[in-house]
Amino acid sequence: MHGPASSGWLLVALCAAAGVYCLLRMRSSVEEQRRSAGGEALMGFGMAVMAVPAAVFTPPSWAWQAHAAVFGAAGLHALWTARTGPRHLHHLVGAAAMVYMAVTMAASPGHGRGHGPGHDGSGTPLLTGTLLLYFVAYVLVTGVRLVPAAAAAGGAPGTGWGDRPELARACRLSMGIAMVAMLPAV
């Protein structure tokens, strides 16, 4: 990602922390929490890798291809699990956005971060704009849903870290915000 290194490192920290929390959620006693936590952890760590400032580390071209393959497989898994409920479609859109960013980064000059296919300097490419609008709407809706949950943030006695729905929403919100920050940079 190009831009100031400090914002890149903040994104790395935010996404990595979200990934670690999602790994903790995989130990939850609530089956739905465990089911979605693995994919969200993968998304958090993948976004952390993408957010590393280009001045610090420019990965080889095959790394972006591997990134696209991993998130392509995650997208297929999300498509498969979407049969059971539409809530999994968000994971599909997230995986598609990660594939798009990886392909864009692989196609950019020098295989670094920057403007890739469909970006002729005349503005934001249509797919980037569409994904950006989706994630802005997602962040706004998730933020509104989080507000009432904050009033009951105490949770039931004996509730573990992985069983707190407001923390899971906050984790998803932070990854949505990170996606909004990363998409214009591709």
Side-chain angles (χ1 to χ4, degrees):
M1 206 175 87
H2 63 282
S6 60
S7 62
W9 286 118
L10 288 172
L11 279 172
V12 169
L14 176 71
C15 294
V20 167
Y21 175 70
C22 290
L23 286 178
L24 290 174
R25 283 183 38 228
M26 290 178 71
R27 298 177 46 200
S28 171
S29 61
V30 179
E31 183 179 348
E32 181 58 32
Q33 290 282 354
R34 287 191 313 266
R35 202 176 307 149
S36 65
E40 291 171 359
L42 176 69
M43 182 70 69
F45 291 128
M47 290 172 67
V49 169
M50 279 189 167
V52 172
V56 174
F57 177 70
T58 301
S61 62
W62 61 264
W64 296 123
Q65 296 165 355
H67 213 81
V70 166
F71 283 98
L76 290 175
H77 181 265
L79 183 61
W80 179 256
T81 57
R83 300 174 299 116
T84 62
R87 66 186 175 280
H88 296 286
L89 292 175
H90 172 69
H91 293 143
L92 177 63
V93 174
M98 294 295 283
V99 169
Y100 170 67
M101 287 192 293
V103 167
T104 301
M105 289 178 183
S108 67
H111 302 292
R113 294 152 169 111
H115 302 292
H119 206 307
D120 58 2
S122 63
T124 304
L126 180 62
L127 185 54
T128 301
T130 303
L131 288 168
L132 194 55
L133 287 174
Y134 171 82
F135 281 104
V136 165
Y138 178 80
V139 163
L140 292 174
V141 169
T142 303
V144 167
R145 287 183 181 161
L146 186 60
V147 172
T159 301
W161 281 93
D163 298 330
R164 307 268 307 264
E166 72 278 2
L167 291 177
R169 280 189 209 111
C171 179
R172 291 181 194 115
L173 177 65
S174 64
M175 286 194 290
I177 292 169
M179 191 67 81
V180 168
M182 291 172 69
L183 277 166
V186 296

